[in-house]
Amino acid sequence: METKRSKFIKDGFIKIEHLITQEEVDSLRTIYDGLLGDKVKTAHLRSDLAGADNSTNSRVERITQIMRPSTIAHELINNSAYKKAEQWAKDLLGEDMELDFDMMINKAPYTNTPTPWHQDAAYWIAMPDKRSASCWIALDKVFVENGCMWFIPKTEDNAILPHKNLPNGGALYCEIDSSKALSMPLNPGGCTFHDGFTLHFSRGNTTETHRRALILNFRPKKMIDYEREQGVDHTGERKQRN
Ligand SMILES: O=C(O)CCC(=O)C(=O)O
């Protein structure tokens, strides 16, 4: 019988329809919106995943990324979403899984900017233990037109494709055949989990409301220590490291 765990191992991703309740979504939205609206407090952790837009002097962020929000909003760490996602990560990959980093990725209304195809492991240093799980939590109803996640089921284990940066320090991307990609619409409080080697992407937000996602990345405690010893805390520049 296929379980969430066996599907995650086979395909490199799974979908969980209800990770947290609407009440829990509402309390996360309050914290999330507070950080999104505070460009001063978040300045050192905040950037545009689409790359800085130098051409227009525009201050409009197309894809707002805020790394490690729990280092500013400390209450996040004890939030039930973090606890539930961690339990799932342990169930999927083992009891030694812990939170490595959290991040917010928001697509503002009508910004219509895709997050390009990539593998998260391209951003990370090479690690002897390659287990990882990223939990992408929808704080809004997400669908194709506002930028839900898309995944390509894994065929090859742990191969990292060559990635390049979008101009001006933007996201990493790779050239791939996306004909087998599957979209992952979700209701608020639903989530997906993906492995660091799984190819994923999202379309731009063409709707009149925000597309808010909170992402929690888990890996073995020993690998988190290994990263920190090398100065990796997931707040540095975007570049291929692996
Ligand atoms: O939210 C997005 O558009 C992309 C998210 C992503 O790339 C990730 O969670 O690794």
Side-chain angles (χ1 to χ4, degrees):
M1 192 191 70
E2 187 168 73
T3 61
K4 291 288 186 199
R5 183 170 185 278
S6 65
K7 189 167 166 48
F8 179 81
I9 304 290
K10 174 169 70 74
D11 291 339
F13 66 90
I14 50 165
K15 180 177 184 173
I16 313 270
E17 298 289 352
H18 305 284
L19 177 74
I20 53 173
T21 64
Q22 185 59 48
E23 218 175 29
E24 290 170 317
V25 169
D26 289 341
S27 96
L28 277 177
R29 279 178 180 168
T30 305
I31 303 169
Y32 198 103
D33 291 349
L35 292 172
L36 258 190
D38 193 336
K39 290 200 175 173
V40 173
K41 219 184 200 177
T42 57
H44 61 298
L45 300 170
R46 181 175 191 127
S47 64
D48 192 337
L49 203 47
D53 188 354
N54 297 331
S55 60
T56 60
N57 276 338
S58 156
R59 281 167 191 262
V60 176
E61 293 164 331
R62 290 163 291 170
I63 312 175
T64 305
Q65 182 177 44
I66 300 177
M67 298 304 296
R68 309 286 304 269
S70 57
T71 61
I72 312 175
H74 302 288
E75 67 274 31
L76 281 172
I77 283 295
N78 294 318
N79 188 281
S80 48
Y82 283 58
K83 296 200 183 317
K84 288 179 183 178
E86 185 177 86
Q87 189 53 55
W88 267 104
K90 288 179 191 291
D91 292 349
L92 293 172
L93 288 174
E95 281 301 313
D96 55 343
M97 301 299 283
E98 289 191 8
L99 183 74
D100 181 0
F101 64 94
D102 51 352
M103 65 176 165
M104 297 164 44
I105 300 185
N106 182 56
K107 294 196 171 191
Y110 300 123
T111 41
N112 200 8
T113 308
T115 306
W117 284 105
H118 68 281
Q119 296 163 293
D120 292 339
Y123 283 97
W124 306 333
I125 56 170
M127 284 175 259
D129 186 335
K130 303 196 183 309
R131 287 174 294 151
S132 73
S134 284
C135 179
W136 191 101
I137 306 170
L139 298 185
D140 293 291
K141 185 175 174 68
V142 295
F143 43 95
V144 167
E145 293 78 13
N146 72 351
C148 69
M149 289 282 265
W150 292 70
F151 295 110
I152 299 180
K154 276 209 300 192
T155 49
E156 233 182 301
D157 262 353
N158 301 350
I160 301 177
L161 299 170
H163 285 65
K164 292 185 192 148
N165 280 91
L166 290 176
N168 304 314
L172 291 183
Y173 69 95
C174 58
E175 312 279 356
I176 50 124
D177 167 11
S178 59
S179 55
K180 297 213 165 70
L182 300 168
S183 64
M184 297 286 133
L186 290 167
N187 284 317
C191 75
T192 53
F193 277 88
H194 66 273
D195 173 270
F197 297 92
T198 303
L199 284 156
H200 56 285
F201 146 97
S202 68
R203 288 192 190 169
N205 183 2
T206 57
T207 73
E208 62 185 9
T209 53
H210 284 267
R211 190 234 64 180
R212 292 166 290 188
L214 173 67
I215 297 121
L216 310 179
N217 175 271
F218 299 92
R219 70 178 73 253
K221 166 82 172 84
K222 277 193 183 149
M223 293 301 102
I224 299 173
D225 295 343
Y226 180 83
E227 286 181 311
R228 299 294 185 270
E229 275 159 23
Q230 298 183 52
V232 173
D233 66 357
H234 301 281
T235 61
E237 66 175 314
R238 283 188 276 268
K239 63 177 185 186
Q240 181 156 16
R241 298 184 173 77
N242 196 349

